[in-house]
């Protein structure tokens, strides 16, 4: 019950003691944990709704301090897992349902897709996605619901301990306030050929990005092309196998394909994976031989497979680190929402950085061939570069985020005299922060870096 909270904050273990208020229900459903936080799963009191739009029971009213233990009407680890792994989606408002998955229509669509003009594709996709505005959960345009659960638990623990503050290991290296990653999925030959220009563009703003390569069926992948990316310090990841939209449609098919996908990963020297169209099934991820995956949206309203992990922070799915896609993809922005401004991206950045989260983008070289789209993208790059200096956002490669998050997950806070010290590989970059209570909210304060004595 304690482990996910401890993994999130990396605070001293003796600070955290959760227990249940009673026996958990047989059934699962939605309930609240305070006014603005949604949970899904089993609970020990009240009732559980089948839809997030129904009247919801508030589990916060049943929380009971018991010495230094906090009795809760649900298990934080189970509830958070239900959101991160989208287990709520199969039984609710169709949130995570694949639109017409496996249907004859969908097969027909993918068969003719390559020869459809972009305008017909846009029309068909807009029709398929037209009800997206009515989806109540996860919350558009960014949903840090998992982080809100952890924050509420922190508030309750701080009240139980009656202390001023609790130390924890800050989320990002060198005290950065948040993190951003730029990723490019290379869909077809024109996109592949645009990659050198895209590297130039990113480089103008001193932003290094990752390129996800489709290994089969879309374009040839010459060694010289991969070398060109590597030489300039960009990152290579594997994007699906052949991008036919079927990777997760059938278990047997997936396990047949995954060996080839893993082999391409080794050949490319790629540590990261992203599926086509963000199709996904976390239950099968153990077969993927990659350090990290980037296929789970935070809010999937505009993706064919809806749902979302309701989180703006990295998290583990078994041994794989998930770097969720937390902003709207360029394709959806330009061709479904018909917007060529960065206003929506800015709103999402604000919501994510408010929780110190990971701001991750998917921008396709294939869709930047149009000058209007390219101008919008350049405005985003300029804005990110501004945030890097003004808000101290760490702009990193996905592989760097993976390395940091793994190191942090092994670090520990140790008492030293009157203070605290971080132990573990990578601790030089880590910083101690303190969580404390202001009214009914938690605030974070970073410990000042230890000053080096002047010679
Ligand atoms: Zn793709």
């Amino acid at each position: 019950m304690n482990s996910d909270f401890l993994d999130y904050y990396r605070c001293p273990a003796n600070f955290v003691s959760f227990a249940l208020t009673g026996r958990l229900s047989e059934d699962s459903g939605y309930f609240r944990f305070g006014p603005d936080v949604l949970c899904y799963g089993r609970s020990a009191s009240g009732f559980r709704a089948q839809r997030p739009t129904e009247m919801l029971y508030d589990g916060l009213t049943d929380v009971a301090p018991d010495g230094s233990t906090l009795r809760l009407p649900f298990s934080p680890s189970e509830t958070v897992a239900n959101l991160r792994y989208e287990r709520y989606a199969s039984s609710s408002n169709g949130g995570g349902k694949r639109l017409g998955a496996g249907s004859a229509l969908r097969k027909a669509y993918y068969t003719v897709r390559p020869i459809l003009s972009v305008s017909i594709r846009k029309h068909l996709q807009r029709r398929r996605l037209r009800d997206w505005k009515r989806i109540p959960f996860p919350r558009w345009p960014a949903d840090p619901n998992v982080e809100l659960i952890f924050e509420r638990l922190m508030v309750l623990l701080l009240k139980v301990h009656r202390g001023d503050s609790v130390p924890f290991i800050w989320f990002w290296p060198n005290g950065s306030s948040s993190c951003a990653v730029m990723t490019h999925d290379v869909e077809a030959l024109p996109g592949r050929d645009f990659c050198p220009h895209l590297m130039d563009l990113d480089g103008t703003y001193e932003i290094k990005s990752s390129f996800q390569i489709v290994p089969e069926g879309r374009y040839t992948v010459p060694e010289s092309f991969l070398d060109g990316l590597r030489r300039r310090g960009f990152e290579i990841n594997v994007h699906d196998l052949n991008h036919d939209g079927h990777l997760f449609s059938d278990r047997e098919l997936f396990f047949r394909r995954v060996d080839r996908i893993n082999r391409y990963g080794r050949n490319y020297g790629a540590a990261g994976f992203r599926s086509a169209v963000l199709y996904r099934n976390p239950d099968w991820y153990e077969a993927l031989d990659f350090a990290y995956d980037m296929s789970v949206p935070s809010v999937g309203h505009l993706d064919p497979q809806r749902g979302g992990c309701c989180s703006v922070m990295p998290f583990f799915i078994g041994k794989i680190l998930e770097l969720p896609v937390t902003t709207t993809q360029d394709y959806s922005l330009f061709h479904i929402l018909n917007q060529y401004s960065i206003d929506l991206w800015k709103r999402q950045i604000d919501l994510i950085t408010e929780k110190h989260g990971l701001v991750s983008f998917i921008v396709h070289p294939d869709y930047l061939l149009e000058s209007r789209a390219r101008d919008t993208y350049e405005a985003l790059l300029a804005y990110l570069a501004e945030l890097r200096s003004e808000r101290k956002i760490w702009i990193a490669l996905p592989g760097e985020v993976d390395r940091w998050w793994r190191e942090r997950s092994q670090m520990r806070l140790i008492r030293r005299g009157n203070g605290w010290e971080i132990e573990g590989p990578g601790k030089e970059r880590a910083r101690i922060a303190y969580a404390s209570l202001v009214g009914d909210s938690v605030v974070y304060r970073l410990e000042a870096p230890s000053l080096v004595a002047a010679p």
Side-chain angles (χ1 to χ4, degrees), residues 185 187 239 243 276-277 364:
D185 295 354
E187 304 290 291
H239 187 31
H243 214 291
V277 207
H364 301 76

Side-chain angles (χ1 to χ4, degrees), residues 81-150:
N82 285 339
L83 299 178
R84 282 174 171 169
Y85 308 147
E86 304 176 272
R87 290 179 188 141
Y88 67 91
S90 53
S91 58
S92 63
N93 61 343
K97 194 174 64 187
R98 293 172 64 151
L99 298 180
S103 72
L105 188 69
R106 185 168 166 278
K107 279 191 186 125
Y109 172 75
Y110 267 95
T111 311
V112 298
R113 185 181 135 118
I115 53 166
L116 290 178
S117 73
V118 171
S119 68
I120 295 175
R121 271 172 57 190
K122 275 194 265 188
H123 175 73
L124 286 174
Q125 277 160 339
R126 275 200 204 122
R127 274 194 49 169
R128 288 197 320 158
L129 296 169
R130 67 186 163 223
D131 61 339
W132 73 269
K133 277 187 186 148
R134 291 200 298 270
I135 303 173
F137 184 73
R139 276 167 289 204
W140 174 265
D143 193 345
N145 198 78
V146 166
E147 290 72 36
L148 290 170
I149 292 175
F150 289 133

Side-chain angles (χ1 to χ4, degrees), residues 232-346:
R232 296 181 59 177
F234 290 81
E235 182 180 298
I236 297 164
N237 295 309
V238 175
H239 187 31
D240 206 86
L241 178 66
N242 56 13
H243 214 291
D244 67 354
H246 291 302
L247 183 58
F248 285 97
S249 60
D250 178 83
R251 195 174 191 280
E252 219 175 282
L253 182 79
F254 173 80
F255 281 91
R256 251 199 334 267
R257 288 181 174 188
V258 82
D259 288 336
R260 298 230 295 280
I261 290 174
N262 290 339
R263 204 161 54 229
Y264 283 113
R266 285 192 292 276
N267 290 346
Y268 293 176
F273 177 76
R274 177 177 287 141
S275 60
V277 207
L278 303 188
Y279 286 135
R280 58 203 179 270
N281 183 344
D283 291 341
W284 301 348
Y285 274 22
E286 58 183 343
L288 282 168
D289 198 6
F290 290 85
Y292 49 95
D293 172 77
M294 304 188 286
S295 313
V296 183
S298 181
V299 182
H301 292 4
L302 293 175
D303 301 303
Q305 182 176 339
R306 285 171 169 176
C309 61
C310 319
S311 177
V312 296
M313 281 288 188
F315 58 90
F316 283 97
I317 303 176
K319 65 184 182 357
I320 290 193
L321 184 70
E322 182 61 40
L323 305 178
V325 180
T326 56
T327 66
T328 299
Q329 294 190 48
D330 61 341
Y331 182 87
S332 309
L333 185 72
F334 301 149
H335 300 303
I336 297 181
L337 301 177
N338 231 341
Q339 290 178 19
Y340 285 85
S341 89
I342 63 166
D343 291 352
L344 173 60
W345 279 334
K346 279 172 145 177

Side-chain angles (χ1 to χ4, degrees), residues 31 36 88 141 154 175 204 217 238 261 275 279 285 291 320 341 359 377 386 391 394 423 448:
F31 54 93
D36 49 355
Y88 67 91
M154 180 58 99
T204 308
V238 175
I261 290 174
S275 60
Y279 286 135
Y285 274 22
I320 290 193
S341 89
V359 187
Y377 176 60
E386 197 182 303
R391 286 199 220 160
W394 181 42
E423 264 193 3

